[in-house]
Amino acid sequence: MPRVGLAPAAVVAAGAALADEVGFANLSMGLVAERVGVRTPSLYKHVDSLEALRRGISIQARRELGDTLVRATVGRSGPDAVRAFADAYRRWVLDHPGRYAATVRAPDLDDEEDRRAGDEALRILLDVLAGFGSPGADAIDAARALRSALHGFASLESAGGFGLPRDVDRSYRFLVETLISGLGADRSGDSARPGDTA
């Protein structure tokens, strides 16, 4: 019988915490079983497989990150919203490196729960960028640019990738302000691209 009080959600939560300690790629059923106090074969009574555990952690982590970003950006707009979004994103990555790694891949479009969690995060990002007036496909380009820049910086910082004797916070601020300047740039003079319509 499954251990009393040990529900699948508790296994996922334990796996998420463990991923922050050992890395999402290093997560194993044996490590999680040890963390929750059961033998590895018994863990399969609570979660079907390592892949199912990873999926659960990914969905939980997307929701946690989304909640963090919503709280940071509510009531803000324009550059202020981008700064708040970026700061919250960076802090969450540094505090939860294993969980963050679980959020990086695109959601599985055939998995409604996974897709919904991913859509929520995208909506937050697009809401933050709405103040810059990027229409349609340009909004997606802006979202990808901001996410890529923040991902790169925070991932390098988390991995100890900045070794030069220069304040990392200063470099981070430079990145964010450069992004804001780029997002606010006037693109009305851009030439039409194939597929553009009036």
Side-chain angles (χ1 to χ4, degrees), residues 12 51-61:
V12 169
E51 185 54 37
L53 177 63
R54 289 179 183 276
R55 172 192 175 273
I57 293 170
S58 176
I59 291 169
Q60 176 186 310

Side-chain angles (χ1 to χ4, degrees), residues 27 31 63 75 91 95-96 148 168:
L27 203 60
L31 289 173
R63 288 179 178 149
R91 180 81 270 143
D95 289 346
H96 305 290
S148 297
V168 174

Side-chain angles (χ1 to χ4, degrees), residues 129-196:
L129 294 170
F132 292 92
S134 297
D138 286 346
I140 299 299
D141 293 340
R144 285 177 174 169
L146 181 58
R147 180 182 177 219
S148 297
L150 295 177
H151 166 75
F153 194 99
S155 296
L156 284 168
E157 184 178 10
S158 180
F162 297 129
L164 296 176
R166 176 77 164 172
D167 181 50
V168 174
D169 288 337
R170 183 180 177 122
S171 299
Y172 167 75
R173 288 282 162 223
F174 177 84
L175 171 72
V176 173
E177 295 307 318
T178 301
L179 289 167
I180 289 170
S181 295
L183 290 167
D186 180 11
R187 291 179 178 75
S188 60
D190 286 357
S191 57
R193 291 163 295 191
D196 284 353

Side-chain angles (χ1 to χ4, degrees), residues 107-113 115:
D108 180 352
L109 297 180
D110 294 328
D111 183 335
E112 185 177 345
E113 187 179 16
R115 183 179 48 77

Side-chain angles (χ1 to χ4, degrees), residues 50-126:
L50 180 59
E51 185 54 37
L53 177 63
R54 289 179 183 276
R55 172 192 175 273
I57 293 170
S58 176
I59 291 169
Q60 176 186 310
R62 288 181 207 276
R63 288 179 178 149
E64 288 176 1
L65 177 57
D67 289 347
T68 297
L69 296 174
V70 165
R71 284 194 306 274
T73 58
V74 68
R76 299 174 186 263
S77 63
D80 187 41
V82 172
R83 289 183 193 101
F85 179 96
D87 289 351
Y89 190 101
R90 178 190 183 204
R91 180 81 270 143
W92 198 85
V93 173
L94 295 176
D95 289 346
H96 305 290
R99 278 177 246 205
Y100 176 68
T103 71
V104 174
R105 68 166 181 76
D108 180 352
L109 297 180
D110 294 328
D111 183 335
E112 185 177 345
E113 187 179 16
D114 191 24
R115 183 179 48 77
R116 216 172 27 245
D119 287 350
E120 289 168 13
L122 177 60
R123 180 189 47 77
I124 296 161
L125 180 51
L126 292 175

